[in-house]
């Protein structure tokens, strides 16, 4: 009897972090020396931009690596720095590891992901 290999396809779908609808874009922003990203529909991304537009127009652009004159402490990079959360979630699903579809991914899952050569 001949054994055939089965192909496996993993599909990653981004969902809006606010309403679980399919996301159209990822919005990055920073506040208090912390960087954030949200996957949003175009409508929610526009609402976010509208909400902070007056603050952005009143603020100063700061180039990467330059700080404002404040003495805020340096924020340590999180364990998942440089790792695509969607890729980790897809890999974990393929390994049978349960991971929440949103929010923080446990460091041990990320370590396993990296150890697998990803």
């Amino acid at each position: 009897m001949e054994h055939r290999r089965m192909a496996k396809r993993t599909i990653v779908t981004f969902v809006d972090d606010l309403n679980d609808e399919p996301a159209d874009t990822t919005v990055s922003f920073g506040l208090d020396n912390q960087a954030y990203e949200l996957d949003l529909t175009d409508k929610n991304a526009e609402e976010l931009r509208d909400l902070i537009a007056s603050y952005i127009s009143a603020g100063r652009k700061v180039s990467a690596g330059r700080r404002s004159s404040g003495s805020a402490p340096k924020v340590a990079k999180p364990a998942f720095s440089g790792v695509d959360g969607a890729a980790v979630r897809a890999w974990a699903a393929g390994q049978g590891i349960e991971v929440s579809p949103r929010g923080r991914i446990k460091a041990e899952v990320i370590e396993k992901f990296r150890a697998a050569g990803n």
Side-chain angles (χ1 to χ4, degrees):
M1 176 180 237
E2 184 179 321
H3 292 282
R4 292 185 180 191
R5 287 189 169 182
M6 299 291 289
K8 186 176 191 179
R9 182 185 307 181
T10 302
I11 298 173
V12 178
T13 304
F14 290 93
V15 294
D16 187 297
D17 292 318
L18 298 176
N19 61 17
D20 290 331
E21 292 179 10
D24 299 306
T25 188
T26 299
V27 176
S28 301
F29 63 98
L31 182 64
D32 296 335
N33 293 322
Q34 182 63 52
Y36 298 90
E37 281 190 346
L38 288 168
D39 297 320
L40 299 171
T41 61
D42 286 337
K43 179 180 180 241
N44 284 340
E46 184 178 342
E47 283 182 23
L48 174 62
R49 289 182 177 103
D50 289 345
L51 283 169
I52 63 174
S54 62
Y55 295 94
I56 290 172
S57 65
R60 296 175 297 281
K61 284 189 177 183
V62 179
S63 63
R66 181 178 164 243
R67 288 182 180 263
S68 63
S69 59
S71 60
K74 210 171 199 179
V75 177
K77 284 189 174 185
F80 56 84
S81 179
V83 175
D84 179 0
V88 174
R89 285 183 171 85
W91 172 85
Q95 301 300 309
I97 301 171
E98 279 193 47
V99 178
S100 172
R102 294 186 0 200
R104 186 177 174 276
I105 301 171
K106 291 183 181 179
E108 62 195 43
V109 175
I110 294 169
E111 288 171 13
K112 288 178 183 179
F113 174 80
R114 287 182 170 148
N118 298 304

